[in-house]
Amino acid sequence: MSSHITVVPEFSIRRIDRCAVAVSPLANVSVTADHALAILEQSFELTEHRQYVVLVDVRMVDDVSPEARRIFMAARHVLAAAMLGRGPMDRMLSAPYEGAVYPSEFFTDQGAAMKWLNLIHDLVCEDPIEHTMSLTVDLDPFATRPGAERTV
């Protein structure tokens, strides 16, 4: 394990389960490539180098640089990302992540976002240790549901 974790003072990055992380800005912010790298590094450290699902609160994100977007979209240790926002502007910030190497979806309801992350987690997590993220896997995480706004 790395002896150094880059602190990202503009963001709250917290582990919410064995392989789940929540990221939210502490104030309005424009996300840079340095932010993206540090967020991914700290998230990976928090999960003790496990792949993880992430809840990203974009309600106070003003902009994401193209470099930061590329870094986030290529992150191989992210299993899925639920983007939590308020409305159309937040939805626009989240839309590019639908092309990421992992499943990503925009939500306006945190409960719906967490339910989706739980379902995706159960489908793709390969961690052999049983942990609390687990729900049932007989539900379709890609079905249309309240609180999820998806484009085709």
Side-chain angles (χ1 to χ4, degrees):
M1 183 159 28
S2 172
S3 61
H4 174 72
I5 297 176
T6 303
V7 175
V8 192
E10 298 88 351
F11 294 87
S12 166
I13 304 166
R14 60 189 175 82
R15 182 174 161 175
I16 55 177
D17 204 329
R18 182 176 174 86
C19 49
V21 175
V23 177
S24 56
L26 299 174
N28 284 44
V29 65
S30 291
V31 181
T32 66
D34 287 341
H35 288 135
L37 289 169
I39 288 167
L40 291 174
E41 177 188 2
Q42 188 171 346
S43 297
F44 200 47
E45 291 289 331
L46 286 171
T47 59
E48 299 171 353
H49 299 160
R50 290 178 186 86
Q51 289 184 304
Y52 59 89
V53 295
V54 61
L55 174 67
V56 182
D57 186 339
V58 297
R59 292 176 289 193
M60 290 195 297
V61 173
D62 294 329
D63 186 38
V64 180
S65 75
E67 298 81 13
R69 191 175 304 115
R70 280 191 291 277
I71 291 166
F72 283 134
M73 290 174 64
R76 298 287 179 183
H77 51 275
V78 174
L79 294 171
M83 313 297 278
L84 179 64
R86 279 191 208 108
M89 292 306 289
D90 293 339
R91 172 71 184 98
M92 280 185 8
L93 277 172
S94 300
Y97 299 97
E98 290 176 5
V101 296
Y102 47 83
S104 176
E105 191 150 348
F106 178 76
F107 296 87
T108 56
D109 177 76
Q110 185 169 348
M114 288 305 298
K115 183 175 181 179
W116 182 81
L117 277 179
N118 280 315
L119 292 169
I120 292 290
H121 168 271
D122 283 356
L123 292 171
V124 298
C125 182
E126 295 180 0
D127 190 333
I129 306 294
E130 188 174 329
H131 44 290
T132 59
M133 221 36 213
S134 220
L135 283 178
T136 177
V137 294
D138 60 348
L139 300 175
D140 179 3
F142 299 105
T144 304
R145 63 205 153 270
E149 298 171 18
R150 195 175 165 119
T151 60
V152 179

